[in-house]
Amino acid sequence: MAKYLVIVESPPKAKTISKILGKDFQVKASVGHVRDLPRNKLGVNVRKNFEPLYEILKEKEPIVKELKEAADEAEQVYLAPDPDREGEAIAWHLSEILELPNKKVHRIEFNEITKDAILAAIKAPRKIDKRLVDAQQARRVLDRLVGYKISPLLWRKVNGRSAGRVQSVAVRLICEREVEVEGFDPKEYWSIKAELSRSRSKQSFIAPLYKYEGKRVIAASEKAAANTMVIDSEKLASKVLKSIENEEFKVSSLTEKSSQRQPSPPFITSTLQREASTVLGYAVKKTMQVAQTLYEGVELGAQGATGLITYMRTDSTRVAQSAQEEALAYIKNRYGKEYCPDKPRVYTRKAKNVQDAHEAIRPTYPENSPEAIKQHLSSDQYKVYKLIWERFMASQMSAAELSTRTAEISAGEAVFRASATETKFAGFTIVYNRPAKSAVTESDGENADDSNGTGEMSGETQSLPELTKSEVLKLKDIKPNQHFTQPPPRFSEASLVKTLEEEGIGRPSTYAATVTTIVDRKYVERVNKTLVPTKLGKAVNLLLVEHFGGIVDVPFTRDMESKLDMIEEDRVDWHSMLKEFYQPFGETLKKAEENMNKVIILSDQQCPECGEQMAIRSSRFGQFLGCIKYPECKTKIALTKEGTPVPEDRPTEEKCTKCGGPMLIRYGRYGDYLACAKDKEECGEQRPILKITGVKCPRGECGGEIVEKKSRRGKIFYGCSNYSQNQCTSAYWYPPVISGGPNNSNKCPQCGTMLVYKTLKRGDQVACSNKECTFAQPITGEEKHA
């Protein structure tokens, strides 16, 4: 029997830590929160000082029972949820539920799941930090009050699904950006580029117009200042060209400037999410899911289960001294002493509400380079880990040394400028060579006119020949180019996260959930990787801004986050903070209930019965279209998950297995399926649409075929076509081999059972589907599979 019990949040983390601690420790998972506010009522006693009325989550009752039994038998209990407010609250809830003596319960935390970190945490337990717990309780109660009080009002007035303290501000930001986009008035401007070369050289270079008549030429999107000008018409562009058509192009100035390019800080949550979005095209939710697996531990062969990165929910760029020393030793050994800076780099942040409790996101062991452990990682894990490892190692390296040569070429009243930058010393860029303009940093900006604005005006990276002052150059070509200023870009998931962080809205742990919620609620939709408000989102936002403008407001939300931080620092009492918020909120809510008008969101569909327009409405099952003449006309049209009308039943060649009648393709809650054309009373057969593989079920007596299916959680597997009729239980996670296996067959050469095509980290292989058979071999490339 194990002497000690360690409780963590997730089963994968429990598995990794269990291997580290050994047989004296039993490691179990709470699988997230086990106790929370009730789902079907407010759950906050406002009159009793905002006391939360917690209850054990129904689906967690078996887990709680198991944890209680294990805790009663253990000599000591270590509570080890994540090292943040949410994790501290989970530890506190567990301590309350387990009802153990204080001397028996200990809180431990670690920033990485490595042997050294876990053993150090066990040796240095502490008490639960009630300040962190109070900050989490205040946030939970505050969110519940806003959500449960405003959401019913939205249901009645606009069929809106819900409101939230942070999510509604995010929707407001997206809606306000959409107003800017839709109301944008593009302005015309022109750039002029000259293609030049030395008199006897074939090598040419491009020099954009830099000055004209003593004024610097700028894009229409740039801020005008003294001695600047915009070429705002074709007429003016033609005038410039005409004025220099007979002029010599003479080198009037040559300069050379040395500079350094500094590495970016290691990742924090928001910059990792943005970089993964920019480089990998990942949604913020996917990035965090992959990072979670890297943090919780991956099997590395002989090394065993190892946490590969530090805790991934952080807004600090701080790095532990020991980690810096390990990184610098690795850099010196692999790249050379010159790639180590004179002194270790220290990164600090000036953003609002920064909490410095955790380190930046970094690899736990620098020697675990992406290539060294690639065989143990999935494709997604490898890509995300590679970003984290390279960014961190680069952040500890020397700056890149650059030399920029600039030539100014005069032609009458016009001055053209060309530049070329050469790398003298690669520095950190040998590891992490993202272009400076596109690398995500804390201060990165968005230039809506980058493709045809300032980039056009200031020159491009190119090769510049050796020129001499006063040298006359040959004009090969000169072209005017028309441009128009672009509207501000719509938010992407990455840029929305950036804005939320800059404005001090939410925490690193809430960014992904916020984006997911507003998309799931149909307030926002993804269009070409941008976030665009829906009709429902716009309508809900207008009502909230009109009646709750002071709450769904950036400064208010930022102030709330600051107060939560002050609760954590023991500078503000959380009950007092809630009382201060609730009194004016209650008055605002009362006025909204009296004054808020019902809003109808019209669709483009006409009612098939009466010809009136259909309106977008919501129910607990999702959105649908309802006639605006309701209750006189009760026509309803169901909508798909994509928001389009559900298609009518479609004929098929399939026959009903019960009555022999024709089957129809019908749309249901989970998509298309097959249904008997007869009424349910007469027959009612339903079955999924099967994707036939052409492979017979290996259990020959059942007569079925192997078909592609989906599990309840949407994961694809392969099973017998008689599986749903409970006639056969053949099921496989891997697709069956159709042909091209050993002896050009799809049968196992050892036992004759069906072969499957396995896609594995260590390489694809053909293997026997019979669990008792050991046959497996690497693929040859001849195999065909479903």
Side-chain angles (χ1 to χ4, degrees), residues 50-61:
F50 300 94
E51 179 184 343
L53 306 174
Y54 296 116
E55 61 181 35
I56 294 173
L57 300 173
K58 189 170 183 62
E59 66 272 18
K60 296 297 179 67
E61 288 175 356

Side-chain angles (χ1 to χ4, degrees), residues 231-249:
I231 302 175
D232 57 6
S233 67
E234 185 176 12
K235 183 179 179 181
L236 182 53
S238 298
K239 177 188 172 185
V240 173
L241 290 173
K242 188 167 181 64
S243 71
I244 61 174
E245 63 182 356
N246 296 317
E247 298 289 347
E248 284 186 330
F249 283 73

Side-chain angles (χ1 to χ4, degrees), residues 229-508:
M229 68 174 290
V230 176
I231 302 175
D232 57 6
S233 67
E234 185 176 12
K235 183 179 179 181
L236 182 53
S238 298
K239 177 188 172 185
V240 173
L241 290 173
K242 188 167 181 64
S243 71
I244 61 174
E245 63 182 356
N246 296 317
E247 298 289 347
E248 284 186 330
F249 283 73
K250 185 183 293 186
V251 178
S252 55
S253 170
L254 287 170
T255 58
E256 187 168 351
K257 181 182 178 182
S258 296
S259 62
Q260 289 187 330
R261 181 182 162 199
Q262 301 294 340
S264 299
F267 284 130
I268 57 176
T269 302
S270 62
T271 51
L272 172 60
Q273 290 171 344
R274 282 147 48 197
E275 187 85 333
S277 175
T278 303
V279 178
L280 306 176
Y282 287 0
V284 293
K285 182 179 179 180
K286 178 176 180 177
T287 300
M288 295 310 289
Q289 287 173 337
V290 176
Q292 182 89 27
T293 66
L294 295 173
Y295 167 68
E296 291 178 339
V298 175
E299 287 286 346
L300 297 183
Q303 289 188 50
T306 305
L308 293 178
I309 64 170
T310 52
Y311 190 53
M312 63 285 155
R313 295 184 183 94
T314 177
D315 54 7
S316 172
T317 52
R318 181 176 61 82
V319 176
Q321 183 179 341
S322 58
Q324 280 193 319
E325 291 170 353
E326 289 177 15
L328 289 171
Y330 181 90
I331 292 165
K332 183 178 178 180
N333 181 57
R334 179 167 178 178
Y335 303 108
K337 185 178 180 181
E338 65 273 21
Y339 287 91
C340 296
D342 294 335
K343 58 181 180 180
R345 292 184 178 276
V346 177
Y347 296 97
T348 57
R349 299 191 61 223
K350 298 179 181 178
K352 306 174 183 74
N353 302 328
V354 173
Q355 295 182 343
D356 202 42
H358 312 306
E359 287 188 67
I361 304 170
R362 61 169 176 81
T364 52
Y365 298 109
E367 62 268 25
N368 282 334
S369 67
E371 295 306 320
I373 61 173
K374 185 176 182 179
Q375 61 179 324
H376 302 293
L377 305 178
S378 69
S379 175
D380 288 335
Q381 287 175 328
Y382 170 73
K383 290 173 183 176
V384 174
Y385 181 70
K386 188 170 186 284
L387 276 184
I388 293 169
W389 188 90
E390 290 179 349
R391 173 79 163 230
F392 172 70
M393 298 305 293
S395 75
Q396 305 303 307
M397 297 176 75
S398 300
E401 303 285 345
L402 309 174
S403 176
T404 302
R405 293 189 299 125
T406 302
E408 290 188 358
I409 301 103
S410 298
E413 292 292 327
V415 177
F416 294 79
R417 175 185 272 190
S419 296
T421 299
E422 180 185 355
T423 300
K424 295 294 186 182
F425 173 64
F428 75 92
T429 62
I430 61 168
V431 171
Y432 188 76
N433 194 21
R434 294 277 326 281
K437 205 169 207 176
S438 59
V440 173
T441 65
E442 286 188 51
S443 59
D444 63 334
E446 297 173 18
N447 187 343
D449 298 312
D450 183 59
S451 61
N452 56 15
T454 55
E456 292 277 357
M457 296 300 187
S458 60
E460 302 165 353
T461 301
Q462 60 182 324
S463 177
L464 194 64
E466 291 293 333
L467 303 173
T468 56
K469 194 170 181 180
S470 301
E471 180 180 357
V472 177
L473 301 177
K474 180 181 179 182
L475 177 65
K476 287 192 164 185
D477 193 15
I478 188 165
K479 288 182 179 179
N481 293 299
Q482 184 186 36
H483 311 286
F484 291 92
T485 55
Q486 300 297 306
R490 289 186 172 96
F491 283 111
S492 63
E493 289 193 15
S495 62
L496 178 63
V497 165
K498 173 178 178 287
T499 300
L500 292 174
E501 182 198 25
E502 288 177 341
E503 295 291 353
I505 298 171
R507 303 298 310 159

Side-chain angles (χ1 to χ4, degrees), residues 20-47:
I20 292 173
L21 291 175
K23 62 182 180 180
D24 285 341
F25 289 82
Q26 184 180 25
V27 186
K28 288 188 170 291
S30 67
V31 195
H33 280 276
V34 294
R35 193 170 74 161
D36 197 3
L37 298 175
R39 291 170 179 168
N40 56 354
K41 58 184 178 181
L42 180 64
V44 177
N45 193 333
V46 174
R47 294 182 179 180

Side-chain angles (χ1 to χ4, degrees), residues 84-278:
D84 55 16
R85 286 180 193 163
E86 212 68 28
E88 202 72 17
I90 291 173
W92 176 71
H93 283 297
L94 285 168
S95 70
E96 294 279 301
I97 292 169
L98 297 178
E99 299 176 328
L100 298 173
N102 289 337
K103 62 181 181 180
K104 186 175 176 178
V105 181
H106 311 279
R107 169 72 165 124
I108 60 171
E109 65 175 347
F110 35 82
N111 196 48
E112 58 188 61
I113 303 177
T114 60
K115 185 175 182 178
D116 290 344
I118 300 300
L119 295 180
I122 293 290
K123 291 177 182 177
R126 62 168 175 81
K127 293 181 179 179
I128 291 172
D129 190 335
K130 201 59 171 59
R131 299 172 304 171
L132 283 172
V133 175
D134 287 347
Q136 191 275 344
Q137 288 194 99
R139 182 201 63 78
R140 188 72 184 95
V141 171
L142 186 64
D143 289 347
R144 176 56 65 98
L145 290 173
V146 172
Y148 263 59
K149 293 293 185 179
I150 297 180
S151 296
L153 193 58
L154 291 179
W155 267 104
R156 296 196 300 271
K157 301 296 184 180
V158 74
N159 276 205
R161 303 295 295 277
S162 71
R165 185 177 59 87
V166 174
Q167 77 177 48
S168 296
V169 178
V171 173
R172 181 175 183 174
L173 289 170
I174 293 167
C175 287
E176 288 176 347
R177 178 63 61 87
E178 191 66 17
V179 170
E180 292 181 56
V181 172
E182 291 175 350
F184 184 77
D185 181 21
K187 291 182 171 57
E188 178 187 9
Y189 68 101
W190 292 70
S191 64
I192 298 174
K193 288 183 175 181
E195 183 182 357
L196 304 165
S197 69
R198 304 190 76 179
S199 59
R200 296 182 180 179
S201 173
K202 292 183 178 180
Q203 179 189 356
S204 62
F205 60 93
I206 303 297
L209 179 64
Y210 175 63
K211 284 184 179 179
Y212 183 68
E213 294 182 342
K215 294 183 177 181
R216 187 167 67 87
V217 178
I218 62 173
S221 57
E222 293 183 74
K223 188 175 181 180
N227 294 321
T228 62
M229 68 174 290
V230 176
I231 302 175
D232 57 6
S233 67
E234 185 176 12
K235 183 179 179 181
L236 182 53
S238 298
K239 177 188 172 185
V240 173
L241 290 173
K242 188 167 181 64
S243 71
I244 61 174
E245 63 182 356
N246 296 317
E247 298 289 347
E248 284 186 330
F249 283 73
K250 185 183 293 186
V251 178
S252 55
S253 170
L254 287 170
T255 58
E256 187 168 351
K257 181 182 178 182
S258 296
S259 62
Q260 289 187 330
R261 181 182 162 199
Q262 301 294 340
S264 299
F267 284 130
I268 57 176
T269 302
S270 62
T271 51
L272 172 60
Q273 290 171 344
R274 282 147 48 197
E275 187 85 333
S277 175
T278 303

